[in-house]
Amino acid sequence: MLESTVVVRPDLRVARVNPRTFGSFVEHMGRCVYTGIYEPGHPSADENGFRQDVLELVRELGVTVVRYPGGNFVSGYRWEDGVGPVDERPRRLDLAWRQLETNEFGLNEFMAWTRAAGVEPMMAVNLGTRGIAEAVDLLEYANHPSGTHLSDLRVSHGAREPHGIRMWCLGNEMDGPWQLGHKTPEEYARLAAETARAMRQFDAGLELVACGSSGREMPTFGTWETTVLEEAYDVVDYVSAHAYYQLVDGDHASFLASSTNMDTFIRDVVATADHVGARLNSSKKITISFDEWNVWYQRELAVPEDWTVAPRLSEEAYTVLDAVVVGSLLITLLQHSDRVTAACQAQLVNTISPIRTEPGGPAWRQSIFYPFAEMARHARGEVIRPTVTAPTMTTAKHGEVPTLDCVATHDADTGTLAVFVVNRHPEEATELRVPLRDFAPAGTVRAVSMHDADRTAANTQEDPDRVRPLPHEATVEDGELRSVLPAASWSMFLIDV
Ligand code: AHR
């Protein structure tokens, strides 16, 4: 049995919890939209074709902001195709995912869906095959009240009120050679800066996200951020970061330590952005929109040969182990709440997702649903980055890493201290001690944990509740939280203080 001590003190405060940390992503990819959030004719669908069973799960998940419409999809997308009378909308080839796009679902449907879900939209513009004119046209269509060609067009399409979309992504993964209209850092930097300037001429208060790197391992990582921010520093608010992780060759230790890579990635982007800020003598701080992250088995991604509507793409069946890793990635995002001010798990339904559906059939929660839902619900108030004393372990991929990862939040309004912990060790349990004297614990603690003797266990249509957080034993005595964390586990402790 290992031993770990986590010191949680009010002066270890990082920032307030950003609600946008608990964002998600709806892309026109596979069945995320069609037969995912939208399925006219489904027994639970409303008059808009929105699946109510899915909407209920989205609310339960606690998602706050949803990025749309892509992803790689957006780099070939013409937003005009997705507005106006549905029967007049063109069918198009979606070159990113080799699927047929019917355009039945577009901007106004998405905005109606966000209102039903109670989430904020984060919209991406196409800077792959398109440019400034199309971006500002979309902005005018979406956000201008009325009295111009494009705003009146929106009104004529039944959306009387402007959508008021505040947060906009200036393209998607433009550093990636797989991207339609892939650009060099210099090409993208100029286009992003000029698009941002034009969009700000419409509304100076927009929140704009410049594309950062599609992963820390990209050959242009660092150079990309520097070049883009040198051009666009004054006109953007965020730089994006994307990262996906997967279990490779059964190496549980490396997989469980994935969040150390995310942590380094965040630190490096912050350092790079601050370096540019210093060179520009700017007092402004750029923050990170980590607007794609998740566990994703990209090795198994097979893009269809035939052009079909809503093919099954990346419909991962997430295991208990995947849920533990997702929990640790969320811990990392929270730990950096001072500089990661938005994040989107990619994606929401069916494709790389916490929610799965069957066409005409049920919707269910995957294993990764639970750490997200619990943390979205209970991470409130101030984020505290505890001091962790724990043994280290050696991993093939990430070198020597601490076996324990932890973040806490303190909600002064409810008097709840929430402690989220992952035991990354693949074989050893650890005895956890959390001295809490500065918080004056009242002695009650509620705890849940996710772990399983069978780490490959997953929820399925037939057995949708196989994997879920289970009550966990913990005590608070003499001002100290004590528990035993099983190997490869994610746990949450809620303490009245
Ligand atoms: O989320 C799936 C894909 O991953 C997105 O379309 C793309 O941006 C990323 O490479």
Side-chain angles (χ1 to χ4, degrees):
M1 174 87 71
L2 306 176
E3 289 179 6
S4 309
T5 304
V6 166
V7 176
V8 181
R9 289 198 321 258
D11 61 303
L12 298 173
R13 169 191 185 277
V14 174
R16 283 195 75 74
V17 175
N18 300 298
R20 282 178 179 159
T21 303
F22 298 100
S24 190
F25 178 32
V26 165
E27 174 166 10
H28 285 249
M29 175 180 176
R31 298 193 306 115
C32 187
V33 172
Y34 303 110
T35 72
I37 62 172
Y38 173 81
E39 188 179 345
H42 185 275
S44 84
D46 66 6
E47 66 286 2
N48 296 312
F50 302 159
R51 282 184 65 150
Q52 298 299 305
D53 54 350
V54 173
L55 271 171
E56 273 165 34
L57 290 177
V58 170
R59 292 188 202 107
E60 183 184 323
L61 187 59
V63 166
T64 51
V65 58
V66 176
R67 184 165 172 254
Y68 176 83
N72 296 347
F73 171 79
V74 79
S75 295
Y77 184 50
R78 299 169 223 212
W79 66 266
E80 305 89 330
D81 290 349
V83 298
V86 172
D87 51 5
E88 291 172 20
R89 296 185 193 175
R91 281 164 82 86
R92 299 267 190 203
L93 297 179
D94 161 17
L95 300 176
W97 301 114
R98 277 189 75 82
Q99 55 189 33
L100 282 183
E101 176 54 56
T102 64
N103 284 305
E104 263 175 90
F105 189 97
L107 173 68
N108 294 319
E109 287 78 19
F110 176 68
M111 291 307 301
W113 183 85
T114 60
R115 285 190 290 275
V119 300
E120 181 194 359
M122 182 193 292
M123 195 64 56
V125 300
N126 174 356
L127 293 189
T129 56
R130 308 188 99 187
I132 304 171
E134 294 87 350
V136 291
D137 280 356
L138 170 57
L139 186 58
E140 178 186 328
Y141 179 92
N143 280 9
H144 193 64
S146 62
T148 64
H149 171 64
L150 289 169
S151 56
D152 287 346
L153 191 62
R154 185 200 67 244
V155 173
S156 77
H157 292 158
R160 284 186 56 80
E161 297 303 319
H163 292 311
I165 303 165
R166 285 191 60 77
M167 200 164 168
W168 294 80
C169 303
L170 302 166
N172 175 71
E173 294 191 348
M174 299 309 308
D175 63 325
W178 57 86
Q179 201 69 212
L180 279 167
H182 163 230
K183 303 203 168 11
T184 65
E186 292 76 16
E187 286 166 348
Y188 175 71
R190 291 279 302 131
L191 181 57
E194 292 311 320
T195 307
R197 248 172 230 121
M199 291 176 79
R200 287 204 188 285
Q201 281 178 241
F202 172 82
D203 179 352
L206 297 176
E207 294 182 56
L208 302 179
V209 186
C211 288
S213 294
S214 311
R216 200 187 170 284
E217 66 292 342
M218 293 299 289
T220 50
F221 175 58
T223 310
W224 179 275
E225 282 75 4
T226 309
T227 311
V228 170
L229 289 178
E230 274 177 353
E231 278 289 338
Y233 203 88
D234 290 339
V235 285
V236 301
D237 306 284
Y238 305 80
V239 61
S240 71
H242 292 179
Y244 294 98
Y245 301 95
Q246 60 185 324
L247 173 64
V248 178
D249 298 334
D251 179 358
H252 287 203
S254 294
F255 185 43
L256 284 159
S258 296
S259 63
T260 59
N261 172 277
M262 181 189 250
D263 181 71
T264 310
F265 191 8
I266 292 169
R267 289 174 193 276
D268 289 348
V269 174
V270 167
T272 307
D274 287 352
H275 169 72
V276 176
R279 278 173 44 173
L280 298 176
N281 197 20
S282 173
S283 56
K284 173 178 173 180
K285 290 284 182 226
I286 298 287
T287 63
I288 298 175
S289 175
F290 216 116
D291 45 42
E292 285 187 35
W293 67 269
N294 207 350
V295 170
W296 183 14
Y297 290 87
Q298 295 187 57
R299 278 178 312 164
E300 285 143 33
L301 173 66
V303 175
E305 284 292 312
D306 299 333
W307 296 93
T308 54
V309 176
R312 289 181 186 265
L313 218 57
S314 287
E315 299 198 357
E316 312 291 0
Y318 286 113
T319 65
V320 180
L321 189 64
D322 296 328
V324 173
V325 172
V326 161
S328 73
L329 295 172
L330 276 166
I331 287 174
T332 301
L333 291 169
L334 273 175
Q335 285 169 342
H336 288 283
S337 291
D338 52 339
R339 298 304 291 269
V340 177
T341 52
C344 303
Q345 189 180 37
Q347 299 184 5
L348 186 58
V349 187
N350 290 329
T351 310
I352 336 174
S353 65
I355 300 171
R356 279 289 305 275
T357 68
E358 274 303 311
W364 67 96
R365 304 166 189 81
Q366 298 229 63
S367 64
I368 63 168
F369 183 99
Y370 291 105
F372 190 109
E374 296 287 6
M375 293 176 80
R377 184 170 313 126
H378 296 291
R380 291 274 185 271
E382 302 288 340
V383 177
I384 294 163
R385 188 174 188 141
T387 309
V388 174
T389 309
T392 57
M393 64 184 197
T394 304
T395 66
K397 188 152 184 210
H398 310 287
E400 194 173 349
V401 303
T403 49
L404 201 91
D405 200 14
C406 180
V407 75
T409 61
H410 176 228
D411 184 351
D413 295 338
T414 60
T416 304
L417 182 71
V419 181
F420 307 100
V421 204
V422 162
N423 178 7
R424 292 178 175 139
H425 202 289
E427 277 107 36
E428 298 279 348
T430 192
E431 202 178 319
L432 175 73
R433 301 169 85 98
V434 187
L436 296 165
R437 279 172 211 93
D438 292 318
F439 281 104
T444 47
V445 54
R446 287 163 287 156
V448 292
S449 184
M450 287 189 81
H451 55 92
D452 203 290
D454 176 7
R455 287 184 201 156
T456 66
N459 293 340
T460 58
Q461 184 179 354
E462 295 70 35
D463 193 358
D465 296 319
R466 165 66 183 83
V467 175
R468 49 172 33 196
L470 296 172
H472 193 66
E473 211 173 302
T475 58
V476 175
E477 277 168 39
D478 305 326
E480 188 169 275
L481 166 70
R482 287 184 206 157
S483 185
V484 172
L485 307 177
S489 63
W490 168 91
S491 308
M492 176 181 79
F493 302 90
L494 302 176
I495 307 141
D496 295 325
V497 295

